[in-house]
Amino acid sequence: MTAPKQIKLTLIRSLAKRLPKHQACVRGLGLSRMHQSRIVAATPENMGMVNKVSYMLRIEEVA
């Protein structure tokens, strides 16, 4: 069994004045502050949250 791909997410826009569901997605991905980065598995659940708030994130694949 292969491990899921990893992606690095960086919050590049503020959570202030965003929809509550978008704020919840960002927090669910483990991000809480501007310019904070987190490496997460590219599971369907995480990718759904990433797609919803992609305008606030910088997304990079981790080798």
Side-chain angles (χ1 to χ4, degrees), residues 20-39:
K21 285 186 178 183
H22 290 199
Q23 292 179 8
C25 282
V26 171
R27 290 198 183 101
L29 291 166
L31 300 168
S32 58
R33 295 186 313 264
M34 291 278 297
H35 308 294
Q36 182 181 14
S37 294
R38 183 71 52 145
I39 295 177

Side-chain angles (χ1 to χ4, degrees), residues 4 7 25 28-29 40-52:
I7 55 174
C25 282
L29 291 166
V40 298
T43 62
E45 295 84 3
N46 287 342
M47 292 310 295
M49 290 192 284
V50 168
N51 288 336
K52 183 174 274 197

